Amino acid sequence: MNKFYRRLFSLILLVLVISGVVIYTTIDINTLKNLDRFQPWSIAMAAGVTALGLFFDGSRLMHLVKISHEKISLYQAVQVVFGNYFLALLTPGATGGAVAQLMFLRHAGVPTGKAAVLVIVRTILSIFFLALCMPFILLHDEGIVPGMSNDWLMVITLTALLVIFGMIFGAKRGNLDGLVIWGTRNFKNERRRKIFAFYRDTKCAIALLAESPRSMMLVFLESGLNLLCIYAIVPCLLLGLGVWDADWYTVMGRMIFLNMLLYFMPTPGGSGIAEGGFVLLFSNTVPAGTVGIIAVCWRLIAEYIPFLLGFYYTLAVFGRDFLNRQLSK
């Protein structure tokens, strides 16, 4: 069995084990009673908001490519979006997602340098949107993290935002150049070159952000709509269980908080941490005995089905041998 199939099999096994453990540990005597109330139309709603979110993801990519004076088709944008889901779930820390986007953008005719910049811009905009939402979430939702006050979380969030702004302006004006050179002075040459290349691409990404502020504002809006639609899967599923009186501000806020954390988690696509975090954050919101089932359904709709579509597009465009070479690096 080659490396690609071993990794694919390991991922499937990991997902099945995690899903089974989450459901098993959260089922109780009320589960069947509450599941009897479930309405199938909520699955259609969840699929609908997911499709809308993926549309905004593809649309923002096409607008970004246009800003960089290149052009891709809607079908090529779809390949980039689903390819990101595929390799992100196959690699630790979802690092393969960036590689997949770069691969598909190059295949679409976007030069390598511009493709790398576009991938960084997409990530920056998504994280920046979530970071901007965090203060409003913390002001509304007391005790979102057990054992940690919202005051401390607010300080951490505002500090992170200040650091992000400082890095953006520092990189744009060249003030960070010396710091990067000094900080990598003891690194091996190969690693140092990679850091310099990433820093150069990041500076180009920041320059692209500042080049067309009006167009970039549209891309930022689409980034937010993309994320909010994907997170709206959970409210759709809760409505299907008859939960009509929930605090939807809190529900969406906790989804934003959880997905913000997943950007920095080491497991493939946040597997395990996403489900466990969901159970921790929503155990008091969903009907008794259903939190694990909702967590698994959320991941299935938001991650695993797009993963399968990305699997198809990646094999169709690049072939199995190409994947073997990528995963063996």
Side-chain angles (χ1 to χ4, degrees), residues 115-193:
V117 170
L118 294 174
V119 171
I120 293 173
V121 170
R122 276 166 54 85
T123 305
I124 289 175
L125 289 176
S126 294
I127 294 177
F128 188 56
F129 175 80
L130 297 179
L132 285 179
C133 290
M134 284 305 301
F136 300 99
I137 295 167
L138 295 173
L139 288 172
H140 176 78
D141 189 1
E142 288 293 334
I144 190 170
V145 178
M148 183 176 290
S149 72
N150 279 22
D151 291 339
W152 276 109
L153 289 174
M154 183 68 79
V155 169
I156 293 171
T157 299
L158 294 178
T159 302
L161 284 172
L162 288 175
V163 169
I164 291 173
F165 280 118
M167 292 178 66
I168 289 174
F169 286 109
K172 186 175 184 296
R173 297 182 178 181
N175 298 332
L176 290 182
D177 296 0
L179 180 61
V180 173
I181 294 172
W182 176 82
T184 59
R185 66 190 186 284
N186 295 323
F187 290 3
K188 293 182 179 179
N189 288 336
E190 182 179 356
R191 187 179 181 190
R192 204 178 191 205
R193 280 196 298 271

Side-chain angles (χ1 to χ4, degrees), residues 199-221:
Y199 178 63
R200 182 190 65 242
D201 290 341
T202 302
K203 289 183 67 173
C204 292
I206 293 170
L208 182 64
L209 286 168
E211 182 179 321
S212 305
R214 185 171 298 179
S215 298
M216 200 57 68
M217 186 60 66
L218 172 62
V219 175
F220 178 72
L221 177 62

Side-chain angles (χ1 to χ4, degrees), residues 40-56:
W41 50 258
S42 69
I43 297 291
M45 281 183 59
V49 294
T50 303
L52 188 59
L54 293 171
F55 165 78
F56 284 124

Side-chain angles (χ1 to χ4, degrees), residues 19 42 77 108 126 133 144 191 203 230 233 259 270 277 290 293 299:
S19 300
S42 69
S126 294
C133 290
I144 190 170
R191 187 179 181 190
K203 289 183 67 173
I230 298 297
I233 292 171
N259 282 273
T290 62
I293 297 171
R299 292 288 285 174

Side-chain angles (χ1 to χ4, degrees), residues 7-328:
R7 191 168 293 189
L8 182 61
F9 176 77
S10 298
L11 172 67
I12 293 172
L13 182 62
L14 175 66
V15 169
L16 290 176
V17 170
I18 290 172
S19 300
V21 170
V22 168
I23 292 174
Y24 177 77
T25 55
T26 55
I27 281 180
D28 63 23
I29 196 171
N30 298 301
T31 301
L32 290 179
K33 180 183 70 174
N34 288 319
L35 284 180
D36 282 345
R37 299 159 49 195
F38 185 76
Q39 300 297 319
W41 50 258
S42 69
I43 297 291
M45 281 183 59
V49 294
T50 303
L52 188 59
L54 293 171
F55 165 78
F56 284 124
D57 201 1
S59 177
R60 69 166 177 162
L61 176 62
M62 294 181 69
H63 286 133
L64 269 178
V65 172
K66 184 177 180 181
I67 292 171
S68 70
H69 308 295
E70 301 292 336
K71 187 176 181 180
I72 63 173
S73 67
L74 177 60
Y75 183 64
Q76 289 169 327
V78 168
Q79 292 177 338
V80 175
V81 169
F82 285 118
N84 174 41
Y85 277 95
F86 173 59
L87 277 187
L89 273 175
L90 276 183
T91 50
T95 53
V99 175
Q101 293 177 67
L102 186 61
M103 286 164 34
F104 278 104
L105 284 169
R106 287 172 56 188
H107 184 265
V110 179
T112 302
K114 284 186 178 180
V117 170
L118 294 174
V119 171
I120 293 173
V121 170
R122 276 166 54 85
T123 305
I124 289 175
L125 289 176
S126 294
I127 294 177
F128 188 56
F129 175 80
L130 297 179
L132 285 179
C133 290
M134 284 305 301
F136 300 99
I137 295 167
L138 295 173
L139 288 172
H140 176 78
D141 189 1
E142 288 293 334
I144 190 170
V145 178
M148 183 176 290
S149 72
N150 279 22
D151 291 339
W152 276 109
L153 289 174
M154 183 68 79
V155 169
I156 293 171
T157 299
L158 294 178
T159 302
L161 284 172
L162 288 175
V163 169
I164 291 173
F165 280 118
M167 292 178 66
I168 289 174
F169 286 109
K172 186 175 184 296
R173 297 182 178 181
N175 298 332
L176 290 182
D177 296 0
L179 180 61
V180 173
I181 294 172
W182 176 82
T184 59
R185 66 190 186 284
N186 295 323
F187 290 3
K188 293 182 179 179
N189 288 336
E190 182 179 356
R191 187 179 181 190
R192 204 178 191 205
R193 280 196 298 271
K194 289 181 178 179
I195 293 175
F196 286 163
F198 178 76
Y199 178 63
R200 182 190 65 242
D201 290 341
T202 302
K203 289 183 67 173
C204 292
I206 293 170
L208 182 64
L209 286 168
E211 182 179 321
S212 305
R214 185 171 298 179
S215 298
M216 200 57 68
M217 186 60 66
L218 172 62
V219 175
F220 178 72
L221 177 62
E222 289 177 316
S223 297
L225 291 173
N226 157 238
L227 295 172
L228 291 177
C229 286
I230 298 297
Y231 303 160
I233 292 171
V234 171
C236 290
L237 296 176
L238 293 181
L239 289 172
L241 285 171
V243 181
W244 294 91
D245 57 349
D247 183 347
W248 301 113
Y249 190 149
T250 298
V251 170
M252 290 297 288
R254 293 195 172 197
M255 288 301 298
I256 291 172
F257 177 78
L258 176 58
N259 282 273
M260 181 73 172
L261 293 180
L262 294 181
Y263 270 98
F264 308 99
M265 294 297 105
T267 59
S271 297
I273 297 171
E275 291 85 352
F278 186 93
V279 171
L280 178 66
L281 291 175
F282 290 97
S283 56
N284 295 325
T285 303
V286 305
T290 62
V291 63
I293 297 171
I294 296 295
V296 171
C297 288
W298 159 56
R299 292 288 285 174
L300 176 67
I301 297 171
E303 298 286 343
Y304 301 138
I305 292 177
F307 164 84
L308 292 175
L309 292 171
F311 179 31
Y312 164 76
Y313 283 122
T314 305
L315 288 182
V317 174
F318 299 107
R320 187 181 62 189
D321 291 338
F322 183 83
L323 274 175
N324 285 330
R325 293 195 299 271
Q326 289 295 320
L327 292 174
S328 63

